[in-house]
Amino acid sequence: ERRWQNTAGASALLRSGRSLIYGLDGQHTVHKYLSRTLGGFLNRYEQTFGGSVGVELQPKTKVFAAYHRNIIHYSASRAANSKGHALELGIDGDITPLLHGKISGGFHYRKYDNPSGSVTQELLTWQTAIDLKYQVARRTMLSLSAARSVNVATFGTNRFSVGNAVNFGVRHSLRKVAVGADAGVSIDRYPESSTAGGLSANRRDDTYSWGLNASYKIREWLSSGVFFNRMQRHSIFSRQFNYEVNRTSLEFKVTF
């Protein structure tokens, strides 16, 4: 369905003394669907705001704790408005001389404003976000990303789903040319039992992907690339949600 989305946000980092760092951030997102039917069901805004405090262990590494308030408000009559809290602890930067990135984990709590029969009214689950790069050799880098998150859902009476995803990649550089490959899997689970295509069950979607890429550095400030990605989804409700897709893209990037 055709829709538009506008997001505006701001963040600030403040340093106190040699090693203490404070952060403030906020974001407001508006979703609007052009379909009149779906517009009344899915048009909404989402707000996230909060802050963090961290201690710099060394010039490029910090440990931190963060808290955010989450609000989702639908503009029409859908009984899915909610408010939530998220607490996160993690480390960011150079974890070892060869390992760089971010590891964080915490909890997400959400409560819906409008009771709706036996549909889940409160959610408390753990969340995590991992984004790491390991310099296995001078020209070769391995990457790992993983995440567990709570997502907005519109299937049957489900108002949210919980997603788990992991992705592995490798990239090798040789002068101006770099080539890479990656593969991943994600699993989305829905809390409420639904009926579709003659089957009643809790929906679960498993999505598998793999890809290849290559880039060429034309100048210090100009590069080009080509990317291929294949994705397959396998759902419990196979007739309604199974699909396969191949995506190929070209890129020219200017950096200044």
Side-chain angles (χ1 to χ4, degrees), residues 2-24:
R2 296 178 62 194
R3 69 181 185 93
W4 57 258
Q5 172 181 328
N6 287 337
T7 300
S11 63
L13 284 177
L14 309 172
R15 181 181 293 272
S16 176
R18 293 184 177 181
S19 59
L20 199 58
I21 301 173
Y22 299 95
L24 295 172

Side-chain angles (χ1 to χ4, degrees), residues 194-207:
S194 304
T195 300
L199 174 66
S200 295
N202 287 65
R203 179 179 167 186
R204 168 178 165 167
D205 297 339
D206 297 347
T207 305

